Amino acid sequence: MSLIVQKYGGTSVGTPERILLVARRMAGDEIVVVVSAMSGVTDNLIGLARQVAEHPSEREMDMLLATGEQTTIALTAMAINALGGKAVSLTGAQAGIVTDGVHTKAKIANITPKRIHRLLEDGHIVIVAGFQGESLDGHITTLGRGGSDLTAIALAAALGADLCQICTDVDGVYTADPRSVHKARKIAEVSYDEMLEMSSLGSKVMQSRAVEFAKKFGVIFEVRSSFNDEPGTIVKAETSGMEKVVIRGVSVDRRQAKVTVNRVPDRPGVASRIFTAIAGAGINVDMIVQNVSADGSTDISFTTHSDELPKINRLLGPLVGEIGAQSFSAQGGIAKLSVVGIGMRSHSGVAAKMFELLGEAGINIQMITTSEIKISVIVDEDRVDEGANLVHSGFGLAEEAPRLAKSVVS
Ligand code: ADP
Ligand code: ASP
Ligand code: MG
């Protein structure tokens, strides 16, 4: 009998009917099922917290957010039992998932799955709460948004599972988000590095930390539909054939903001002052561009998530004067558009082609960054979908018969 770890995301367990659908899929094999909170529940809990406290403690946040997944494990186990199966639910802590103490984005330190093994031997289907664990000193922790993916991959590694399936509301990983790029196609196989770039560049079909974990421990996994039995996308280590595809996919990261500090004195230590202050406020910075110096001063621009704008404004107001810069501007309404593919390593001209496609459509590029396997540009958010569709078609990703992702649930 093979041991399978399956993860069902929020939409897949979003209603009692869907939980029953998932419960009906459990048959044969030794199965460990990881479930997320019902869709919208985690966001609602965050909203509730904000109504009672402006800055709730992260420990209490984790206590609160973990309840979302605790609801679904119990309901899923009940549904399986009601259909004549034999299931038992476990919280992250009960499943033996031990993390560090960094609340709201804890890292898994180790997993002791003794209890899961015992329950499986006893013929149970084991339902584990995704997204949560317990710190060494006994506090409930959570693993960052989308963290149920990480729970599933880590459990698959710890249990030595034969199969790890990430079941979701699309048929697999597509060449772009099928909700906004209608000619997107399902990818049969993708390398860890490509999946990692796509996830971190905005393709939220997989949590990027989960992909990182899978790469580190060599966990081969499949992203597939919760609602049909079509083969999905296999994510695994790079094979020689994979390099033949220059662009694997197009990713979009919305709700970005661009901040520019104008006429910064061109002296050692000034950039450090700015970014130390920003890091100290817990703000994540993405792209950073410093212009050529003229008249002993330079402009420094960076991007961040637009939710950070109020903090940025509070912080940079006084800092600009202190470092002798002239002014700063901070505005949202931009998005990052990226193309990803390991084939780029051995092909030139990819950036030029991307810029040409956007230029012909009159889409202005505000910033550019590249790595060995990706090119990202910042454009106006209201043109990013148009840009994504153009770039997707321009690189031939839509070439096979165009079709809508049939299983996309809106
Ligand atoms: P779950 O709740 O199952 O974890 P998510 O909402 O986190 O599901 O991820 C699935 C969603 O990811 C899809 O509905 C799709 O809109 C989006 N998505 C973004 N980029 C891609 C892509 N390249 N391929 C497939 N889905 C994508
Ligand atoms: N419920 C958590 C979230 O919404 C974890 C997950 O869905 O994977 O981020
Ligand atoms: Mg998800």
Side-chain angles (χ1 to χ4, degrees), residues 31 65 108 166 169 173 179 201 213 227 266 298 317 348 385 389 406:
I31 308 181
L65 296 190
I108 294 179
I166 306 293
D169 56 6
V173 179
R179 290 178 201 275
L201 294 168
F213 194 103
F227 309 115
D266 196 10
T298 178
S348 55
D385 281 340
N389 276 280
K406 283 198 206 76

Side-chain angles (χ1 to χ4, degrees), residues 7-12 36 146 149 166-170 172-179 198 202-206 226 250-251 408-409:
K7 175 250 167 179
Y8 290 89
T11 319
S12 313
S36 295
D149 293 339
I166 306 293
C167 305
T168 183
D169 56 6
V170 271
V173 179
Y174 277 63
T175 46
D177 187 343
R179 290 178 201 275
M198 286 173 73
S203 299
K204 301 244 154 66
V205 61
M206 276 300 296
S226 300
V250 173
S251 299
V408 171
V409 177

